[in-house]
Amino acid sequence: MCFAVVGVNHRNCPIEIREKVSFTRAKLVDCLHELRVEKNLQEVVILSTCNRSEIYIYEENIERAILKGIAFYQSHFVKGDITPYLYIRQGEEAVRHLFEVAAGLDSIVIGEDQILGQVKKAHEEAMSEHTSGKVLNKIFREAISTAKLIKSEVKISEHSLSISHIAVKFLKEKQETLRGKKVLVIGTGEMNELTIKYLLEENIGEIYVTNRTHTKTVELTEVYEGLIPVAYEERYEVLPQVDMVISATASPHIILQAKQMPSLTKKLDIMDIAMPRDIDPAINEMELVNVYDIDALKMIAEANNERRLELVIAAQKEIEKAIQKLMRWLEALSIEEVIHGLDAYCEDIKAHTTRFLGKKIISEEIDEEAMHMIMEEVLKRCIRTPIAKLMTTENLELRAQYAKTLSELFELN
């Protein structure tokens, strides 16, 4: 099967590598076009989140396409060798991987909601840029609809915790209590809006909020009563006043630099849940400061994930049912192309023969429509047996061999 995924994720790749292979919005669009046009891949979708960076490919010569995907990561992002961190999945294994990703089964927090929206957005982006076609559209739509089914029937998301929730729990452990504490939240996206909700549930003291676009900060303070807006340029000035910082922006650059950090007189815990990271790792070397990133949350996530194993098994059953149905469609795709090719082959012969007879036989008694019908019936009989054999062969490997042989013999490509 001509479908594969090449990428890295939180399971096998440290954050300092993951952030180097993440795609900003502008870079993602450029890379889609480069892979589709310059690398000449048939269909491509890129999924980039805080926990993963993946290139999904549909290509007839899938082995060659995989090598292009590996070379793309190597040349665009990392100076050293990235191959030890890359995983490659092909065929049904790649389909299963995507379904599990969309359902949140491959996330740090099992069943988390945010990944489904990210998968959907990645597919929509590829469709809008015309890099996802018939095959990837079908695979991604089935993965998304199955994830929605799991969410509504298995209800695994109702028992999950988001990265934002776990980050707040993590800081609560470090601070011993969040009641009356002061926190600076950097970024006003979906992840930090969830963070604010969880902080408010903990009876936090003061929540300062800043964002590069100040109007978004103001909009958020209008939704959540008591938030204190801070101009982005003044973010360093607030640090001595707060006990914690939680940062989650879409910035491709570091937004808190060690060289600009003010002097501190009390402990400061900084939680960086952005990808690429927002916080200069050198800040962790300062006295009184502890910097934590997404990977630091894994232990809490794993403890919570153990409670959802039964739901995971139920979700995987739904995934397997959907995959088997999709695989039948994908298996029939190659047959469908051969059948259409044989039909076109017959049409070409019929057209050529009609032109030939028209030149050689001049008679008003010839019924042209009847002649067409006779030729069509004869030609259909010629290909009826190979088509029937192709469609009824249950051995998938043999069926693929038949399809390839027919394509080559009749020059259908």
Side-chain angles (χ1 to χ4, degrees), residues 2-17:
C2 306
F3 175 61
V5 56
V6 179
V8 299
N9 66 15
H10 62 93
R11 296 184 186 278
N12 69 331
C13 185
I15 193 167
E16 57 267 21
I17 299 296

Side-chain angles (χ1 to χ4, degrees), residues 16-17 20-21 72-83:
E16 57 267 21
I17 299 296
K20 290 178 181 176
V21 296
F72 180 85
Y73 271 119
Q74 190 67 59
S75 62
H76 277 69
F77 297 99
V78 183
K79 292 182 180 178
D81 185 12
I82 193 177
T83 52

Side-chain angles (χ1 to χ4, degrees), residues 269-282:
D269 288 325
I270 301 178
M271 173 55 68
D272 185 353
I273 51 177
M275 181 59 64
R277 287 177 291 181
D278 285 339
I279 311 301
D280 185 347

Side-chain angles (χ1 to χ4, degrees), residues 99-322:
F99 274 62
E100 290 182 349
V101 167
L105 303 190
D106 195 52
S107 299
I108 288 179
V109 182
I110 291 178
E112 55 110 348
D113 277 337
Q114 198 171 17
I115 186 62
L116 176 56
Q118 291 167 331
V119 170
K120 187 177 179 182
K121 186 176 181 181
H123 179 226
E124 289 172 348
E125 194 78 64
M127 285 196 298
S128 69
E129 299 300 326
H130 307 291
T131 66
S132 180
K134 178 180 179 179
V135 178
L136 289 192
N137 286 346
K138 176 71 173 179
I139 294 173
F140 269 79
R141 283 169 182 157
E142 291 298 323
I144 291 165
S145 63
T146 302
K148 288 179 179 177
L149 178 70
I150 289 170
K151 182 179 177 181
S152 63
E153 294 192 4
V154 178
K155 302 187 184 300
I156 193 168
S157 295
E158 292 183 7
H159 300 268
S160 72
L161 300 174
S162 66
I163 289 291
S164 299
H165 196 171
I166 289 180
V168 171
K169 284 185 66 176
F170 182 88
L171 288 174
K172 184 177 181 179
E173 286 184 9
K174 297 298 177 183
Q175 293 278 331
E176 296 183 355
T177 180
L178 295 182
R179 184 181 293 274
K181 298 287 185 175
K182 297 179 181 180
V183 59
L184 170 63
V185 175
I186 306 177
T188 56
E190 181 182 344
M191 190 174 287
N192 264 350
E193 188 167 351
L194 278 174
T195 298
I196 289 168
K197 289 180 181 178
Y198 296 132
L199 287 170
L200 290 171
E201 289 174 4
E202 294 289 342
N203 296 313
I204 197 85
E206 294 178 350
I207 303 178
Y208 297 87
V209 182
T210 190
N211 191 69
R212 192 180 295 275
T213 305
H214 192 65
T215 52
K216 291 184 178 179
T217 304
V218 174
E219 288 171 4
L220 203 59
T221 60
E222 292 172 354
V223 176
Y224 298 96
E225 188 177 349
L227 300 188
I228 304 170
V230 175
Y232 187 74
E233 298 75 19
E234 298 172 4
R235 62 193 183 281
Y236 288 100
E237 297 173 22
V238 180
L239 297 180
Q241 304 172 41
V242 300
D243 303 287
M244 298 164 289
V245 175
I246 301 177
S247 188
T249 77
S251 172
H253 310 294
I254 294 293
I255 62 169
L256 284 186
Q257 299 278 358
K259 60 184 178 182
Q260 293 183 255
M261 288 290 289
S263 297
L264 301 174
T265 58
K266 63 177 181 176
K267 174 186 171 184
L268 178 65
D269 288 325
I270 301 178
M271 173 55 68
D272 185 353
I273 51 177
M275 181 59 64
R277 287 177 291 181
D278 285 339
I279 311 301
D280 185 347
I283 293 176
N284 200 38
E285 299 171 11
M286 295 176 59
E287 287 188 28
L288 301 175
V289 180
N290 293 303
V291 178
Y292 306 100
D293 56 39
I294 290 171
D295 286 357
L297 304 178
K298 282 186 179 179
M299 288 182 66
I300 294 179
E302 286 168 2
N304 283 284
N305 288 341
E306 288 179 8
R307 303 170 193 166
R308 291 189 290 279
L309 287 179
E310 290 184 10
L311 295 175
V312 170
I313 292 169
Q316 286 174 332
K317 286 181 180 178
E318 293 296 336
I319 285 174
E320 288 305 314
K321 284 193 291 185

